[in-house]
Amino acid sequence: MTFTTRFAPSPTGPLHLGHAYSAMLAHDMAVAEGGTFLLRIEDIDQSRTRPEWEAQIYEDLRWLGLGWPEPVMRQSERLPRYQEALGQLTAMGLTYPCRCNRADIEAAAGAPQEGVPQFGPDGRIYPGTCRGRQPTDTTGPDVIRLNMEKAVRAADLRSFTETGPDFQGTHALNPDALIAAVGDIILVRRNMGSSYHLSVVVDDADQQITHAVRGADLFEATQIHVLLQCLLGLPTPAYHHHRLIRDDQGKRLAKRDDARAIAKYRAEGVTPQDIRDMVGLLASSG
Ligand code: GLU
């Protein structure tokens, strides 16, 4: 299999130094192995994505010296594929519609108890209010959740290989931790037709990604992705979670950090090699 990496930005704001690092690292790793670097636009949240941000992504990445095969995969064009994967999970009896809003969940969660985690990689751990509902018992734009307890029982759980600096090694999925510290994750967000977790898993498989290169902040979400791969019969790539680029105060960069936007550096006359130096990457050979 060809060594294949990807950069998967959401067009919800300008790319900053952290994105540049992630993209260049994924690109350099593929080039070093004689492999392929792919680009994917993660635009399922149509309320936050803008065509001008997408155009800016292409421009910034080209300016950085990166190239990728066309056509670029865009999640907004793949909703039928996500529905198909959801259908597989529903046929296995693992999904249910949930009509709780944030306030309902807070109220049902009650007072925090010592030693019981409240938040996991998918946000607040769902207290299970709607868990008894059938997939057909839906009145409108509900979210669809995964019944985690049933899911870990249905799956033949695998380990995954991590090659990034902080978590290097083989990681086994822990069913108890998935139930208690992750919980019933959202597979389909309200009015979105999918979720980050479902889409990323289906897309990485369809793009035949062998090495998923991304920020260390997504390490905890990887157990969700590997679980979904097990349930859907999809391959598990190796993961490489890289360090996060931080500002002078040690805070990780966010989309609103316009001061560190690639476009801004460009306008100031900074070169792509300067950007590489800033994030601590060697010159690329490809
Ligand atoms: N779209 C995600 C982001 O911008 C990246 C997803 C991934 O690399 O798995 O943070």
Side-chain angles (χ1 to χ4, degrees):
M1 240 171 130
T2 314
F3 189 105
T4 307
T5 63
R6 71 345 185 242
F7 176 57
S10 298
T12 55
L15 295 188
H16 56 57
L17 276 186
H19 297 105
Y21 176 62
S22 200
M24 292 189 294
L25 181 64
H27 167 265
D28 292 3
M29 282 173 67
V31 168
E33 298 290 331
T36 308
F37 166 76
L38 296 177
L39 178 61
R40 176 168 80 225
I41 299 294
E42 302 215 322
D43 59 350
I44 45 169
D45 186 353
Q46 290 284 308
S47 69
R48 292 175 59 228
T49 62
R50 298 271 176 279
E52 52 274 30
W53 291 130
E54 187 177 329
Q56 181 87 61
I57 287 172
Y58 301 134
E59 212 180 306
D60 286 348
L61 295 179
R62 283 199 192 101
W63 176 78
L64 284 168
L66 310 190
W68 52 87
E70 300 279 354
V72 165
M73 180 179 276
R74 298 170 77 238
Q75 291 188 329
S76 55
E77 293 164 0
R78 290 175 45 79
L79 290 182
R81 184 68 186 92
Y82 307 140
Q83 286 302 311
E84 191 187 317
L86 176 75
Q88 243 179 294
L89 299 172
T90 299
M92 293 166 81
L94 304 179
T95 68
Y96 62 89
C98 168
R99 59 171 75 107
C100 297
N101 59 29
R102 197 179 296 250
D104 298 331
I105 296 175
E106 301 270 321
Q113 288 169 41
E114 221 184 293
V116 180
Q118 283 188 281
F119 291 91
D122 196 43
R124 187 179 267 288
I125 297 165
Y126 183 61
T129 319
C130 292
R131 200 174 285 144
R133 289 173 63 199
Q134 294 303 309
T136 47
D137 176 17
T138 174
T139 46
D142 292 339
V143 311
I144 312 281
R145 289 185 183 273
L146 180 73
N147 182 321
M148 188 57 85
E149 207 168 329
K150 282 192 186 171
V152 297
R153 262 191 269 126
D156 194 2
L157 296 181
R158 299 177 197 148
S159 305
F160 65 94
T161 304
E162 166 69 38
T163 63
D166 295 345
F167 312 99
Q168 204 155 25
T170 303
H171 298 265
L173 295 194
N174 176 338
D176 296 331
L178 277 162
I179 295 167
V182 178
D184 292 0
I185 58 148
I186 295 182
L187 293 168
V188 174
R189 294 205 168 267
R190 211 167 260 119
N191 301 321
M192 238 189 257
S194 189
S195 64
Y196 162 61
H197 301 303
L198 185 63
S199 298
V200 84
V201 160
V202 170
D203 293 348
D204 281 345
D206 288 357
Q207 290 194 300
Q208 298 184 34
I209 302 301
T210 62
H211 291 75
V213 180
R214 58 189 187 185
D217 53 329
L218 287 168
F219 179 74
E220 288 300 325
T222 307
Q223 55 188 319
I224 299 173
H225 302 164
V226 177
L227 171 71
L228 291 176
Q229 288 152 6
C230 297
L231 291 168
L232 293 166
L234 301 174
T236 294
Y239 287 89
H240 185 101
H241 291 89
H242 59 70
R243 66 188 161 83
L244 300 177
I245 303 295
R246 299 184 183 277
D247 66 13
D248 302 338
Q249 279 80 50
K251 257 189 33 242
R252 59 173 287 215
L253 302 182
K255 284 261 162 72
R256 54 191 175 281
D257 262 314
D258 286 4
R260 286 174 182 74
I262 305 303
K264 180 123 190 290
Y265 283 115
R266 254 168 84 183
E268 287 167 358
V270 165
T271 68
Q273 185 55 48
D274 295 332
I275 302 274
R276 283 189 172 268
D277 293 343
M278 277 184 231
V279 297
L281 273 177
L282 298 174
S284 168
S285 53

Coordinates of all heavy atoms in Angstrom, one line a residue, residues 15-91:
L15 N -5.9 29.8 7.7 CA -4.9 28.8 8.2 C -3.8 29.6 9.0 O -3.3 30.7 8.5 CB -4.2 28.1 7.1 CG -5.1 27.2 6.2 CD1 -4.2 26.4 5.2 CD2 -5.9 26.2 7.1
H16 N -3.4 29.1 10.1 CA -2.3 29.7 10.9 C -1.0 28.8 10.9 O -1.0 27.8 10.3 CB -2.8 30.2 12.2 CG -3.4 29.1 13.1 ND1 -2.7 27.9 13.4 CD2 -4.6 28.9 13.6 CE1 -3.4 27.1 14.1 NE2 -4.6 27.7 14.3
L17 N -0.1 29.3 11.7 CA 1.2 28.5 11.7 C 1.0 27.1 12.1 O 1.7 26.2 11.6 CB 2.1 29.2 12.8 CG 3.0 30.4 12.3 CD1 3.9 30.7 13.5 CD2 3.8 30.0 11.1
G18 N 0.1 26.8 13.0 CA -0.2 25.4 13.4 C -0.7 24.5 12.3 O -0.2 23.4 12.1
H19 N -1.5 25.1 11.4 CA -2.0 24.4 10.3 C -0.9 24.2 9.3 O -0.7 23.1 8.7 CB -3.1 25.1 9.5 CG -4.4 25.3 10.3 ND1 -4.7 26.5 10.9 CD2 -5.3 24.5 10.7 CE1 -5.9 26.4 11.5 NE2 -6.3 25.1 11.4
A20 N 0.0 25.2 9.1 CA 1.1 25.1 8.2 C 2.0 24.0 8.6 O 2.5 23.2 7.8 CB 1.9 26.4 8.1
Y21 N 2.2 23.9 9.9 CA 3.1 22.8 10.4 C 2.5 21.5 10.1 O 3.2 20.6 9.6 CB 3.3 23.0 11.9 CG 4.1 21.9 12.6 CD1 5.4 21.7 12.2 CD2 3.6 21.1 13.6 CE1 6.2 20.7 12.8 CE2 4.3 20.1 14.1 CZ 5.6 19.9 13.8 OH 6.3 18.9 14.3
S22 N 1.2 21.3 10.4 CA 0.5 20.0 10.2 C 0.6 19.6 8.8 O 0.9 18.5 8.4 CB -0.9 20.2 10.7 OG -1.5 18.9 11.0
A23 N 0.3 20.6 7.9 CA 0.2 20.3 6.5 C 1.6 19.9 5.9 O 1.8 19.0 5.2 CB -0.3 21.5 5.7
M24 N 2.6 20.7 6.3 CA 4.0 20.5 5.8 C 4.6 19.2 6.3 O 5.3 18.5 5.6 CB 4.9 21.7 6.2 CG 4.5 23.0 5.4 SD 5.7 24.3 5.6 CE 5.5 24.7 7.3
L25 N 4.3 18.9 7.6 CA 4.7 17.6 8.2 C 4.1 16.4 7.5 O 4.8 15.5 7.1 CB 4.4 17.6 9.7 CG 4.9 16.3 10.4 CD1 6.4 16.2 10.4 CD2 4.4 16.3 11.9
A26 N 2.8 16.5 7.2 CA 2.1 15.4 6.5 C 2.7 15.2 5.1 O 2.9 14.1 4.6 CB 0.6 15.6 6.5
H27 N 2.9 16.4 4.5 CA 3.5 16.4 3.1 C 4.9 15.8 3.1 O 5.3 14.9 2.4 CB 3.5 17.8 2.6 CG 4.3 18.1 1.4 ND1 5.6 18.5 1.4 CD2 4.0 17.9 0.1 CE1 6.1 18.6 0.2 NE2 5.1 18.2 -0.6
D28 N 5.8 16.3 4.1 CA 7.2 15.9 4.1 C 7.3 14.4 4.4 O 8.1 13.7 3.9 CB 7.9 16.7 5.2 CG 8.1 18.1 4.8 OD1 7.6 18.5 3.8 OD2 8.8 18.9 5.6
M29 N 6.4 13.9 5.3 CA 6.5 12.5 5.6 C 6.1 11.6 4.4 O 6.8 10.6 4.1 CB 5.5 12.1 6.8 CG 6.0 12.5 8.1 SD 4.8 12.4 9.5 CE 4.6 10.6 9.5
A30 N 5.2 12.1 3.6 CA 4.8 11.3 2.4 C 5.9 11.4 1.4 O 6.3 10.3 0.8 CB 3.5 11.9 1.8
V31 N 6.5 12.6 1.2 CA 7.6 12.7 0.2 C 8.8 11.8 0.6 O 9.4 11.1 -0.2 CB 8.0 14.2 0.1 CG1 9.3 14.3 -0.7 CG2 6.8 15.0 -0.6
A32 N 9.1 11.8 1.9 CA 10.2 11.0 2.4 C 10.1 9.5 2.1 O 11.1 8.8 1.9 CB 10.4 11.3 3.9
E33 N 8.8 9.1 2.0 CA 8.6 7.7 1.8 C 8.2 7.4 0.3 O 7.8 6.3 0.0 CB 7.4 7.2 2.7 CG 7.6 7.3 4.2 CD 8.7 6.3 4.7 OE1 8.8 5.2 4.1 OE2 9.4 6.7 5.7
G34 N 8.3 8.4 -0.5 CA 7.9 8.2 -1.9 C 6.4 8.0 -2.0 O 5.9 7.3 -2.9
G35 N 5.6 8.5 -1.1 CA 4.2 8.3 -1.0 C 3.4 9.4 -1.5 O 3.8 10.2 -2.4
T36 N 2.2 9.5 -1.1 CA 1.2 10.5 -1.6 C 0.7 11.4 -0.4 O 0.4 10.9 0.7 CB 0.0 9.8 -2.2 OG1 0.5 8.9 -3.1 CG2 -0.9 10.8 -2.9
F37 N 0.6 12.7 -0.7 CA 0.0 13.6 0.3 C -1.3 14.1 -0.3 O -1.4 14.5 -1.4 CB 0.9 14.8 0.5 CG 0.3 16.0 1.1 CD1 0.1 16.0 2.5 CD2 -0.1 17.1 0.4 CE1 -0.5 17.1 3.1 CE2 -0.6 18.2 1.0 CZ -0.9 18.2 2.4
L38 N -2.4 13.9 0.5 CA -3.7 14.3 0.0 C -4.3 15.4 0.8 O -3.9 15.6 2.0 CB -4.7 13.1 0.1 CG -4.4 11.9 -0.7 CD1 -5.4 10.7 -0.4 CD2 -4.4 12.2 -2.2
L39 N -5.2 16.2 0.2 CA -5.9 17.3 0.9 C -7.4 16.9 0.9 O -7.9 16.3 0.0 CB -5.7 18.5 0.1 CG -6.4 19.8 0.6 CD1 -5.8 20.2 2.0 CD2 -6.1 21.0 -0.4
R40 N -8.0 17.2 2.1 CA -9.4 17.0 2.2 C -10.0 18.2 2.9 O -9.5 18.7 3.9 CB -9.6 15.7 3.1 CG -11.0 15.4 3.4 CD -11.2 14.0 4.0 NE -10.9 14.0 5.4 CZ -10.1 13.0 6.0 NH1 -9.6 12.1 5.2 NH2 -9.9 13.0 7.3
I41 N -11.1 18.7 2.4 CA -11.8 19.8 3.0 C -12.9 19.3 3.9 O -13.9 18.7 3.4 CB -12.3 20.8 1.8 CG1 -11.2 21.2 0.9 CG2 -13.1 21.9 2.4 CD1 -10.2 22.2 1.6
E42 N -12.8 19.6 5.2 CA -13.8 19.1 6.1 C -14.8 20.2 6.3 O -14.7 21.1 7.2 CB -13.1 18.7 7.4 CG -12.0 17.7 7.2 CD -11.9 16.6 8.3 OE1 -11.9 17.0 9.5 OE2 -11.7 15.4 8.0
D43 N -15.8 20.2 5.5 CA -16.8 21.3 5.4 C -18.3 20.8 5.7 O -19.2 21.3 5.1 CB -16.7 22.0 4.1 CG -17.0 21.1 2.9 OD1 -17.0 19.8 3.1 OD2 -17.1 21.6 1.8
I44 N -18.4 19.8 6.6 CA -19.8 19.4 6.9 C -20.6 20.4 7.6 O -21.8 20.4 7.6 CB -19.9 18.0 7.6 CG1 -18.9 18.0 8.8 CG2 -19.8 16.8 6.7 CD1 -19.2 16.8 9.7
D45 N -19.9 21.3 8.4 CA -20.6 22.3 9.1 C -20.8 23.5 8.2 O -20.0 24.5 8.3 CB -19.9 22.7 10.4 CG -20.7 23.6 11.3 OD1 -21.7 24.1 10.8 OD2 -20.2 23.9 12.4
Q46 N -21.9 23.4 7.4 CA -22.1 24.5 6.4 C -22.4 25.8 7.0 O -22.3 26.8 6.4 CB -23.2 24.0 5.4 CG -22.7 22.9 4.5 CD -21.8 23.4 3.4 OE1 -22.1 24.3 2.7 NE2 -20.7 22.7 3.2
S47 N -22.8 25.8 8.3 CA -23.1 27.1 9.0 C -21.8 27.9 9.3 O -21.9 29.1 9.5 CB -23.9 26.9 10.2 OG -23.1 26.3 11.2
R48 N -20.7 27.2 9.3 CA -19.4 27.9 9.7 C -18.4 28.0 8.5 O -17.4 28.7 8.6 CB -18.8 27.2 10.9 CG -19.6 27.4 12.1 CD -19.0 26.6 13.3 NE -17.7 26.9 13.6 CZ -16.7 26.1 13.8 NH1 -16.9 24.8 13.6 NH2 -15.5 26.5 14.1
T49 N -18.7 27.2 7.4 CA -17.7 27.2 6.4 C -18.0 28.3 5.4 O -19.1 28.7 5.2 CB -17.6 25.9 5.6 OG1 -18.9 25.7 5.0 CG2 -17.4 24.7 6.5
R50 N -16.9 28.9 4.7 CA -17.1 29.9 3.7 C -16.2 29.6 2.5 O -15.1 29.2 2.7 CB -16.6 31.3 4.3 CG -17.3 31.8 5.5 CD -18.5 32.7 5.2 NE -19.2 33.0 6.4 CZ -20.1 32.3 7.1 NH1 -20.4 31.1 6.6 NH2 -20.7 32.7 8.2
P51 N -16.8 29.8 1.3 CA -16.0 29.5 0.1 C -14.7 30.3 0.1 O -13.7 29.8 -0.4 CB -16.9 30.0 -1.1 CG -18.2 30.3 -0.5 CD -18.2 30.3 1.0
E52 N -14.7 31.5 0.6 CA -13.5 32.3 0.6 C -12.4 31.7 1.4 O -11.2 31.8 1.1 CB -13.7 33.8 0.9 CG -14.5 34.1 2.1 CD -16.0 34.1 2.0 OE1 -16.5 33.4 1.1 OE2 -16.7 34.9 2.7
W53 N -12.8 31.0 2.5 CA -11.8 30.4 3.4 C -11.2 29.2 2.7 O -10.0 28.9 2.8 CB -12.3 30.0 4.7 CG -12.7 31.1 5.7 CD1 -13.9 31.3 6.3 CD2 -11.9 32.2 6.0 NE1 -13.8 32.4 7.1 CE2 -12.6 33.0 6.9 CE3 -10.6 32.6 5.7 CZ2 -12.1 34.2 7.5 CZ3 -10.1 33.8 6.3 CH2 -10.8 34.5 7.1
E54 N -12.1 28.5 1.9 CA -11.6 27.3 1.2 C -10.6 27.8 0.1 O -9.5 27.2 -0.1 CB -12.8 26.6 0.5 CG -12.4 25.3 -0.1 CD -13.5 24.5 -0.7 OE1 -14.6 24.5 -0.1 OE2 -13.3 23.8 -1.7
A55 N -10.9 28.8 -0.6 CA -10.0 29.4 -1.6 C -8.7 29.8 -1.0 O -7.6 29.5 -1.6 CB -10.7 30.5 -2.3
Q56 N -8.8 30.4 0.1 CA -7.6 30.8 0.8 C -6.7 29.6 1.3 O -5.5 29.7 1.2 CB -8.0 31.6 2.1 CG -6.8 32.1 2.9 CD -6.4 33.5 2.4 OE1 -7.1 34.4 2.4 NE2 -5.1 33.5 2.0
I57 N -7.3 28.5 1.6 CA -6.6 27.3 2.0 C -5.7 26.8 0.8 O -4.5 26.6 0.9 CB -7.5 26.1 2.4 CG1 -8.1 26.5 3.8 CG2 -6.8 24.8 2.4 CD1 -9.2 25.5 4.2
Y58 N -6.3 26.7 -0.4 CA -5.6 26.3 -1.6 C -4.4 27.2 -1.8 O -3.3 26.8 -2.1 CB -6.5 26.2 -2.8 CG -7.7 25.3 -2.7 CD1 -9.0 25.7 -3.0 CD2 -7.5 24.0 -2.2 CE1 -10.1 24.8 -2.9 CE2 -8.6 23.1 -2.0 CZ -9.9 23.6 -2.4 OH -10.9 22.7 -2.3
E59 N -4.7 28.5 -1.7 CA -3.7 29.5 -2.0 C -2.5 29.4 -1.0 O -1.4 29.4 -1.4 CB -4.3 30.9 -2.0 CG -3.8 31.9 -2.9 CD -4.5 33.2 -2.7 OE1 -5.7 33.3 -2.8 OE2 -3.8 34.3 -2.5
D60 N -2.8 29.4 0.2 CA -1.8 29.3 1.3 C -0.9 28.0 1.1 O 0.3 28.1 1.2 CB -2.4 29.3 2.7 CG -3.0 30.6 3.1 OD1 -2.7 31.6 2.4 OD2 -3.7 30.7 4.1
L61 N -1.6 26.9 0.9 CA -0.8 25.6 0.8 C 0.1 25.6 -0.4 O 1.2 25.2 -0.4 CB -1.8 24.4 0.8 CG -2.6 24.2 2.1 CD1 -3.5 23.0 1.9 CD2 -1.7 24.1 3.3
R62 N -0.5 26.2 -1.5 CA 0.4 26.2 -2.8 C 1.6 27.2 -2.5 O 2.7 26.9 -2.9 CB -0.4 26.7 -3.9 CG -1.3 25.6 -4.5 CD -1.8 25.9 -5.9 NE -2.8 24.9 -6.2 CZ -4.1 25.1 -6.1 NH1 -4.6 26.4 -5.9 NH2 -5.0 24.2 -6.4
W63 N 1.3 28.3 -1.9 CA 2.4 29.2 -1.6 C 3.5 28.5 -0.7 O 4.6 28.8 -0.9 CB 1.8 30.4 -0.9 CG 2.9 31.4 -0.4 CD1 3.5 32.3 -1.2 CD2 3.4 31.6 0.9 NE1 4.4 33.0 -0.5 CE2 4.3 32.6 0.8 CE3 3.1 31.0 2.1 CZ2 5.1 33.1 1.9 CZ3 3.8 31.4 3.2 CH2 4.8 32.4 3.1
L64 N 3.0 27.7 0.2 CA 3.9 26.9 1.1 C 4.8 25.9 0.3 O 5.7 25.3 0.8 CB 3.2 26.2 2.2 CG 2.7 27.1 3.4 CD1 1.8 26.4 4.3 CD2 3.9 27.7 4.2
G65 N 4.4 25.7 -1.0 CA 5.1 24.7 -1.8 C 4.5 23.3 -1.8 O 5.2 22.4 -2.3
L66 N 3.3 23.2 -1.3 CA 2.7 21.8 -1.3 C 1.9 21.6 -2.5 O 1.2 22.5 -3.1 CB 1.8 21.7 0.0 CG 2.4 22.1 1.3 CD1 1.5 21.6 2.4 CD2 3.8 21.5 1.5
G67 N 1.8 20.3 -2.9 CA 1.0 19.9 -4.1 C 0.3 18.7 -3.7 O 0.7 17.9 -2.8
W68 N -0.9 18.4 -4.3 CA -1.7 17.2 -4.0 C -2.5 16.9 -5.2 O -2.7 17.7 -6.1 CB -2.6 17.6 -2.9 CG -3.4 18.8 -3.1 CD1 -4.6 18.9 -3.8 CD2 -3.0 20.2 -2.8 NE1 -5.0 20.2 -3.9 CE2 -4.0 21.0 -3.3 CE3 -2.0 20.7 -2.1 CZ2 -4.0 22.4 -3.2 CZ3 -1.9 22.1 -2.0 CH2 -2.9 23.0 -2.5
P69 N -2.9 15.6 -5.3 CA -3.7 15.2 -6.5 C -5.1 15.8 -6.4 O -5.6 16.0 -5.4 CB -3.8 13.6 -6.3 CG -2.8 13.2 -5.3 CD -2.6 14.5 -4.4
E70 N -5.6 16.1 -7.6 CA -6.9 16.6 -7.8 C -7.8 15.5 -8.3 O -7.3 14.6 -8.9 CB -7.0 17.8 -8.8 CG -6.1 19.0 -8.4 CD -6.7 19.9 -7.4 OE1 -7.9 19.7 -7.1 OE2 -6.0 20.9 -7.0
P71 N -9.1 15.5 -8.1 CA -9.9 16.5 -7.3 C -9.7 16.3 -5.8 O -9.4 15.2 -5.3 CB -11.3 16.2 -7.7 CG -11.3 14.8 -8.1 CD -10.0 14.4 -8.6
V72 N -9.8 17.4 -5.1 CA -9.8 17.3 -3.6 C -11.1 16.8 -3.1 O -12.1 17.1 -3.6 CB -9.5 18.8 -3.1 CG1 -9.8 18.9 -1.7 CG2 -8.1 19.2 -3.5
M73 N -11.0 15.9 -2.1 CA -12.2 15.4 -1.4 C -12.8 16.5 -0.6 O -12.1 17.2 0.2 CB -11.8 14.2 -0.6 CG -13.1 13.6 0.1 SD -12.7 12.1 1.1 CE -12.7 10.9 -0.2
R74 N -14.1 16.7 -0.8 CA -14.9 17.7 0.1 C -16.0 17.0 0.8 O -16.8 16.3 0.1 CB -15.4 18.8 -0.8 CG -14.3 19.6 -1.5 CD -14.7 20.5 -2.6 NE -15.3 21.7 -2.0 CZ -16.5 22.1 -2.2 NH1 -17.3 21.5 -2.9 NH2 -16.9 23.3 -1.6
Q75 N -16.0 17.1 2.1 CA -17.0 16.3 2.9 C -18.4 16.7 2.5 O -19.3 15.8 2.6 CB -16.8 16.5 4.4 CG -15.5 15.9 4.8 CD -15.3 15.9 6.3 OE1 -15.7 16.8 7.0 NE2 -14.6 14.9 6.8
S76 N -18.7 17.9 2.1 CA -20.0 18.3 1.8 C -20.6 17.6 0.7 O -21.8 17.5 0.5 CB -20.1 19.8 1.6 OG -19.2 20.2 0.6
E77 N -19.7 16.9 -0.1 CA -20.2 16.2 -1.3 C -20.4 14.7 -1.0 O -20.7 13.9 -1.9 CB -19.2 16.3 -2.5 CG -19.2 17.8 -3.0 CD -17.9 18.1 -3.9 OE1 -17.1 17.2 -4.1 OE2 -17.8 19.2 -4.3
R78 N -20.2 14.3 0.3 CA -20.2 12.9 0.6 C -21.2 12.5 1.6 O -21.1 11.4 2.2 CB -18.8 12.6 1.1 CG -17.7 12.6 0.0 CD -16.3 12.5 0.4 NE -16.1 11.4 1.3 CZ -16.0 10.1 1.0 NH1 -16.1 9.7 -0.3 NH2 -15.8 9.2 1.9
L79 N -22.3 13.3 1.7 CA -23.3 12.9 2.7 C -23.9 11.5 2.5 O -24.1 10.8 3.5 CB -24.4 14.0 2.8 CG -23.8 15.3 3.5 CD1 -25.0 16.3 3.6 CD2 -23.2 15.1 4.8
P80 N -24.2 11.1 1.2 CA -24.7 9.7 1.1 C -23.8 8.7 1.6 O -24.2 7.6 2.1 CB -24.8 9.6 -0.5 CG -24.9 11.1 -1.0 CD -24.1 11.9 0.0
R81 N -22.5 8.9 1.5 CA -21.5 7.9 2.0 C -21.6 7.8 3.5 O -21.5 6.7 4.1 CB -20.1 8.3 1.5 CG -19.0 7.4 1.8 CD -19.1 6.1 1.1 NE -18.0 5.2 1.5 CZ -18.2 4.3 2.5 NH1 -19.4 4.1 3.1 NH2 -17.2 3.5 2.9
Y82 N -21.8 8.9 4.2 CA -21.8 8.9 5.6 C -23.1 8.3 6.1 O -23.2 7.6 7.1 CB -21.7 10.4 6.2 CG -20.5 11.1 5.7 CD1 -20.6 12.5 5.4 CD2 -19.3 10.5 5.6 CE1 -19.5 13.1 4.9 CE2 -18.2 11.1 5.1 CZ -18.3 12.5 4.8 OH -17.2 13.1 4.3
Q83 N -24.2 8.5 5.3 CA -25.5 7.9 5.6 C -25.4 6.4 5.5 O -26.0 5.7 6.3 CB -26.6 8.4 4.7 CG -27.0 9.9 5.0 CD -27.6 10.0 6.4 OE1 -28.4 9.3 6.8 NE2 -27.1 11.0 7.1
E84 N -24.6 5.9 4.5 CA -24.5 4.5 4.3 C -23.8 3.9 5.6 O -24.2 2.9 6.1 CB -23.6 4.3 3.1 CG -23.5 3.0 2.5 CD -22.4 3.0 1.4 OE1 -22.5 3.9 0.6 OE2 -21.6 2.0 1.3
A85 N -22.7 4.6 6.0 CA -22.0 4.1 7.2 C -22.9 4.1 8.4 O -22.9 3.2 9.3 CB -20.7 4.9 7.4
L86 N -23.7 5.2 8.6 CA -24.6 5.3 9.7 C -25.6 4.1 9.6 O -25.9 3.5 10.6 CB -25.4 6.6 9.6 CG -26.4 6.7 10.7 CD1 -25.8 7.0 12.1 CD2 -27.4 7.9 10.4
G87 N -26.1 3.8 8.4 CA -27.1 2.7 8.2 C -26.5 1.4 8.7 O -27.2 0.6 9.3
Q88 N -25.2 1.2 8.5 CA -24.5 0.0 8.9 C -24.6 -0.1 10.4 O -24.9 -1.2 11.0 CB -23.1 0.0 8.5 CG -22.6 -1.0 7.5 CD -21.1 -0.8 7.2 OE1 -20.7 0.2 6.6 NE2 -20.2 -1.7 7.6
L89 N -24.3 1.0 11.1 CA -24.3 1.0 12.6 C -25.8 0.8 13.1 O -26.0 0.2 14.1 CB -23.7 2.3 13.1 CG -22.2 2.5 12.7 CD1 -21.8 3.9 13.1 CD2 -21.3 1.4 13.3
T90 N -26.7 1.4 12.4 CA -28.1 1.3 12.8 C -28.6 -0.1 12.7 O -29.3 -0.6 13.5 CB -29.0 2.3 12.0 OG1 -28.5 3.6 12.3 CG2 -30.4 2.3 12.4
A91 N -28.2 -0.7 11.5 CA -28.6 -2.1 11.3 C -28.0 -3.1 12.4 O -28.6 -4.1 12.7 CB -28.1 -2.6 9.9

